Structures are given as structure tokens and as C-alpha cells.
Amino acid sequence: MAERSYHHGDLRRAILDAAAETIGEHGVAALSLREVARRAGVSHAAPVHHFRDKAGVVTALATEGYDLLADALVAARDQGLVEIGVAYVRFAVGHRAHFDVMFRPDLHHADDADLLAARQRAWAVMAEAVSEGKLAQVAAWSIVHGFATLWLSGAMPPDVAGDLEASARAVAEMLSPGGAGR
């Protein structure tokens, strides 16, 4: 099996994909290095070689998530705050495994330099879109993050849960001046 690991190709990518697949199917509680290795088709020592421990795999997945989120937010930046909010929700739903670990510092190495840089990059795009100060930025983030979390958990009221884009846009519109109470 060690020879198979050696010839695997992009082992790091395979391990991250296997971790995301496991989380996507069974939740973050089901993540284990043994399961990730099994799914990636490598020895159970292979993830340790690349990531040191389970928290290392989760840290890499969270870092990748923040990078993907930042890219999505940058792509929406010129369209304004509402579309940044919609992009945030779209990211959460489209990258559920990443989203599930990004905001769980109890599961990853919260002091990892790459993670901190990726998180700051994503935060900077959100913060730039809300000029009213830190509390307004946190409020805007809380609204779209809460919406995404409710959507993913299936807790959204049935009359809202039909169309993700339309519902996310309606909620995000409440972030813009004059949007509250619509």
C-alpha cells in the first residue's frame, strides 16, 4: 500500500477531497484519519505524513474554504453588498464541508498562519462592503451566516426554503440602506 501512496499523484488533494466527502456525507463528527485514508485509497499513515493529525486536515480544509469564500466574495464585490451576501450563502451551500469546519476553531489549529491569512482575506472583502464600522460588519456577517446555517440545517420555514438565491437575496437586501422591514 505504501507504493500505492507514493504513486497516488496529488495525495494532499486526495486527502482533502476525502475529508470533504466524509464531512459532506456524515458530518464533521464522522471525520477520522483512518476514514480519510480509506476513501483516498492510501495507508492510514499517509494523512499523518502530510497533515500531522486530524486537526491538520481540518485546518487545511478550513484554509481552503476561506480562500474559496474570499474568491467568491471578490467576484461579487463590484455588484454590491447584497450580491456579496448572496455569494456568501451560495458558497456555504456549495461548499458545505468547508463551511462546516471554517468556523470551528475547536477542530483546527486556530493559530495556523495560512488559516489566519485566508480568514483575513475573506473578512477584508466583507468588511470593505460595510463601511459603517466593525459592529455593522459583524451584524451583516451574522445575518448571511445565520441564513446559510439555517438553510443548511433544514430549519428554514417552508415558505422561505423554496428558492435559495431569491431567499438569500431578499435577506441580504435588508443589509442595504432602506432594506430593513421589506
Side-chain angles (χ1 to χ4, degrees), residues 2 20 27 30 34-35 45 49 58 60 80 86 97-98 119 129 137 150 161 168 174 178:
R34 186 171 295 278
E35 176 61 15
H49 174 72
V58 175
V86 172
H98 292 89
R119 182 186 308 152
Q137 294 163 354
L150 289 168
M174 294 181 187

Side-chain angles (χ1 to χ4, degrees), residues 100-144:
D100 284 352
V101 300
M102 289 164 58
F103 306 100
R104 296 285 311 271
D106 58 314
L107 299 178
H108 50 68
H109 299 296
D111 61 347
D112 180 83
D114 292 336
L115 174 69
L116 294 172
R119 182 186 308 152
Q120 180 54 40
R121 183 172 161 246
W123 172 258
V125 180
M126 291 187 290
E128 177 186 299
V130 181
S131 60
E132 291 82 14
K134 185 70 90 181
L135 288 178
Q137 294 163 354
V138 170
W141 177 31
S142 298
I143 289 169
V144 294

Side-chain angles (χ1 to χ4, degrees), residues 144-168:
V144 294
H145 187 85
F147 179 87
T149 301
L150 289 168
W151 187 277
L152 288 169
S153 70
M156 198 59 67
D159 57 331
V160 176
D163 182 345
L164 174 67
E165 295 273 331
S167 296

Side-chain angles (χ1 to χ4, degrees), residues 68-79 84 87 121-122 125-126:
L68 291 167
L69 174 60
D71 292 345
L73 299 178
V74 165
R77 179 173 38 203
D78 291 341
Q79 299 168 40
I84 289 173
R121 183 172 161 246
V125 180
M126 291 187 290

Side-chain angles (χ1 to χ4, degrees), residues 20-46:
E21 184 178 290
T22 300
I23 293 167
E25 290 175 12
H26 305 291
V28 72
L31 185 68
S32 71
L33 292 180
R34 186 171 295 278
E35 176 61 15
V36 167
R38 185 190 68 74
R39 284 179 185 254
V42 298
S43 74
H44 29 279

